[in-house]
Amino acid sequence: MKKDTARNISLTGDLKFTGIRLKEPMQAAAGLLGVKEALRHSFKEMGIVRSMKSLLEMNQEDGFRCPSCAWPVPEHPSKIAEYCENGAKALADEATTQHIGADFFSKHSVEELSLLSDYELNKLGRVIEPMVLRPEKIHYEPIAWQDAYDLISDELHQLKDPNEAIFYTSGRSSNEAAFLYGMFARAFGTNNMPDCSNMCHESSGVALSKTLGIGKGSVKLDDLYGAEVILVVGQNPGTNHPRMLSALEKCKKNGGKIISINPLAETGMVRFKNPQNVSDMLGSGRAIADLHLPVRINEDIALTKLILKKLVALDAKNSNVLDHEFIVEYVDGYDELLKDLERYNIETLQRRTGVSMRKIDKAVQLLAENSNIVICWAMGLTQHKNAVECIQEYVNILLLKGAIGKPFAGTCPVRGHSNVQGDRSVGIMHFVNKGLNHKIQKHLNFDPPTEPGYDTVEAIEAMHEKKAKVFVCLGGNFLMAASDTQYTAEAIQNCNLTVQISTKLNRSHLVTGKTALLLPTFGRSEKDEKNGELQFLTMESSTGKVRQSKGLLQPASEHIKSEPEIIAMLAHTYFRGNHSMNWYALGQDYNLIRSYIDKTVKGFDKTSERSKGFGYYLPNNVRERDFRMLPNGRAQLTLNSLPDHNLKPDELLLMTIRSHDQFNTTIYGLNDRYRGIHNERRVVFMNKEDMEQHSLNKKDVVNLHSEYDGIQRTAEQFLVIPYDIPKGNMAAYFPETNLLVPHNHFADKSQTPISKSIKVTVEKVS
């Protein structure tokens, strides 16, 4: 069991098995069982009346945005159920009637709490008053809000350099909170603003910015409905973005074809029973993927090069396969790409992919015959050493087909958390945006820092090296979300002060700096009233639409505060009311925040008005085929290399995955029913041939080891489960296996963790 030695804190909880039950993987997602599970979970956490009242308002025109994924809301949502099972669980999780406060913490030390699993910690309920953990103490104690602000302010004033403070942001925050937070960090004097994008879609942003000139996707939701072919790559929509299945179903009804590219054949891509359709839900549902390509882990570039070579060969026979008119007018690098493809042998590429040539030829034929193509992807592409190049190679397909900047075609990186894209849009970034800095000077009347700050990897290293002393987290579970759990814990523990602005208890509240603050905040579904007026917040979806969110439930306690107010009061206290921005007023009237956003952030305009109903789209140059900001004013084809993992004879590649009962690091339950796993999380999925080679049987207990730079990392106590996964590959849940991911091995250019291709060995325990 891993320990944080300062307070004898466990990083894993008690490593006990919970009584696994195995069933066959399911063949259809959602349906009546999905509805039943969503309501069961909701009723248990919130009660029947409270559940139905809030579920009917989630994602509605005048309601609140779902607190889970960032999938967009359709123009005409279902009035009964514009939510999915995972969204219902996320709502119930934040709106639970289980609460903990001073009395609870006086009875339970952080050492005792750390022995609980992440699932058990989450089940304790909402934190309902501000708490402080003093140096050398093992019990949180209550603290007044102003005393908490004073404590943070005093620590910040004592720093010798503003860069000794780090301000982390999770994707659950609103545009208003993120904007205030980013502006406070800059006004304080640092660009140390790591965020959860650094751990997930940073690779997408880098790849898309280089090739298309914007770090966001180009499609709108309606584009998926009319697409002729959709590639769903490195993604499991049935669990991670279930409402996306409705869009894929509409595409299918309109005659479109779906190609799934993923090491695992996930249930949601096999068949979908739409809960909004009674005949679907009660019947057999609709097949989603017309073709599944079970590519080996991190062999996407081999697969895409093979597809490109075959498309080019077909085009040589029939020049209508590629869009030459589009290429001539809008694209750079065509001749260089053709020369690069000539270097590769078709048979060698096919062997690397592990996919049959018959299936690959079917995919090529679909792409050759159609030009309205959308490519969707998630962390299965973004978390590899060569993640940026993987994404760029898929963009190459779109550019050769002219499937960019027109209806029913384009890029669709599917963001995980509900406002992670909005956070970046309104200024949460560790790099310097000169245009934003100029507008800050002009409209906010202060000089922002001009040197880049720390991203997530650099922030962890800075804390570990004691270069950073104050760590503030706006939401999230940083310890368990980051790679290299042991190293990250040591880093956090080196801080003088850690601050967590959160709704519920998680392990990041137990592994802390010398002093720790736990500041409770509103959930997305809760009313936020200031001076008798109901405030609203805004978020940005994966497709770049900004819209309002209004809570309707009474807050869990009169002693909790909204994120904007907490940030504003911290800034007001720190500057002692003497700053160009009236921080106190901003914390009381969110229209004032939005007026500043409109003045300083590119694309935002009249947001308080235009975000009503179903909101408005931010500008997107790709939709206009405007590539003026790129070299030669053209979209860029790229030359990308095949990966070389240098695997030793006994090593396999492990990818981390979510279970169906979790969202990011939040564990709702112990079941992964789509994959046939019940009442257990400590499992590792293996190919049967690999099991035989390692002399392993079903449910044998193993430890997993990774070794990078001579350092061995170990994740203990996993049950081996035979599964349909490519030979040489394995899968296991995160955050349990984040222990294995080295902090100093990450994606080139983006520095996302290599969580989807970790070299590991397997040690049989029993």
Side-chain angles (χ1 to χ4, degrees), residues 690-697 700 764:
D690 290 326
M691 290 174 58
E692 290 175 5
Q693 287 185 6
H694 288 78
S695 302
L696 294 172
N697 297 310
D700 277 351
K764 184 175 179 179

Side-chain angles (χ1 to χ4, degrees), residues 625-694:
R625 291 188 168 177
D626 176 7
F627 305 112
R628 286 175 292 177
M629 70 293 297
L630 292 168
N632 301 319
R634 301 159 72 81
Q636 302 291 301
L637 290 165
T638 53
L639 309 184
N640 305 296
S641 303
L642 297 172
D644 187 357
H645 293 286
N646 294 312
L647 289 172
K648 298 175 183 176
D650 60 339
E651 286 183 329
L652 302 103
L653 277 184
L654 172 76
M655 65 177 183
T656 64
I657 56 176
R658 292 183 195 172
S659 79
H660 193 63
D661 252 358
Q662 75 179 99
F663 182 74
N664 293 343
T665 58
T666 303
I667 314 300
Y668 303 135
L670 299 177
N671 297 332
D672 189 4
R673 70 174 189 273
Y674 286 175
R675 299 189 183 105
I677 307 297
H678 295 262
N679 202 42
E680 186 57 75
R681 288 186 54 81
R682 304 197 70 82
V683 299
V684 58
F685 300 98
M686 291 186 69
N687 180 284
K688 288 182 179 179
E689 290 185 41
D690 290 326
M691 290 174 58
E692 290 175 5
Q693 287 185 6
H694 288 78

Side-chain angles (χ1 to χ4, degrees), residues 89-160:
K89 288 177 178 177
L91 168 63
D93 195 66
E94 74 165 30
T96 179
T97 55
Q98 296 293 318
H99 298 159
I100 55 176
D103 184 58
F104 172 87
F105 286 105
S106 70
K107 296 175 182 176
H108 303 283
S109 71
V110 290
E111 295 179 344
E112 173 191 345
L113 291 170
S114 76
L115 296 175
L116 300 177
S117 68
D118 293 318
Y119 165 65
E120 291 168 326
L121 285 173
N122 184 61
K123 296 296 286 182
L124 293 173
R126 286 284 296 276
V127 181
I128 56 171
E129 57 185 306
M131 308 296 297
V132 62
L133 184 63
R134 305 283 184 185
E136 309 301 328
K137 300 288 187 180
I138 59 172
H139 285 268
Y140 272 102
E141 303 166 1
I143 186 172
W145 276 104
Q146 189 55 54
D147 290 342
Y149 300 140
D150 288 336
L151 193 160
I152 302 169
S153 176
D154 290 345
E155 286 286 345
L156 292 176
H157 277 291
Q158 290 175 30
L159 298 179
K160 296 177 181 178

Side-chain angles (χ1 to χ4, degrees), residues 46-55 95-97 553-554:
M46 302 167 60
I48 296 175
V49 174
R50 184 176 166 89
S51 295
M52 297 312 299
K53 177 183 177 181
S54 50
L55 285 170
T96 179
T97 55
L553 300 176
Q554 288 298 323

Side-chain angles (χ1 to χ4, degrees), residues 253-306:
K253 287 181 178 178
N254 292 332
K257 302 294 184 181
I258 313 293
I259 301 173
S260 169
I261 302 175
N262 198 46
L264 300 176
E266 300 288 14
T267 299
M269 296 303 297
V270 176
R271 188 168 289 274
F272 172 51
K273 296 183 179 183
N274 192 336
Q276 297 174 359
N277 184 308
V278 175
S279 60
D280 247 21
M281 185 166 63
L282 298 178
S284 60
R286 180 180 292 271
I288 296 297
D290 296 275
L291 181 63
H292 173 62
L293 307 183
V295 65
R296 288 195 179 109
I297 288 175
N298 197 214
E299 291 296 350
D300 290 272
I301 291 182
L303 177 62
T304 46
K305 283 190 183 297
L306 181 48

Side-chain angles (χ1 to χ4, degrees), residues 76 344 355 434 640 679:
H76 303 289
Y344 296 93
V355 182
K434 291 183 180 179
N640 305 296
N679 202 42

Side-chain angles (χ1 to χ4, degrees), residues 422-492:
D423 288 352
R424 177 60 57 84
S425 292
V426 300
I428 296 297
M429 58 189 75
H430 59 279
F431 49 87
V432 177
N433 182 316
K434 291 183 180 179
L436 177 61
N437 275 9
H438 173 73
K439 289 188 175 182
I440 291 172
Q441 290 171 314
K442 180 179 179 181
H443 298 291
L444 306 186
N445 299 308
F446 71 86
D447 293 325
T450 56
E451 295 298 319
Y454 299 138
D455 67 6
T456 294
V457 169
E458 293 159 347
I460 295 170
E461 290 177 344
M463 289 187 286
H464 202 274
E465 295 167 11
K466 300 184 179 180
K467 294 178 181 177
K469 299 177 181 178
V470 174
F471 184 45
V472 186
C473 288
L474 183 63
N477 183 0
F478 185 85
L479 171 67
M480 302 312 292
S483 58
D484 213 338
T485 312
Q486 179 74 36
Y487 183 91
T488 300
E490 294 167 1
I492 293 169

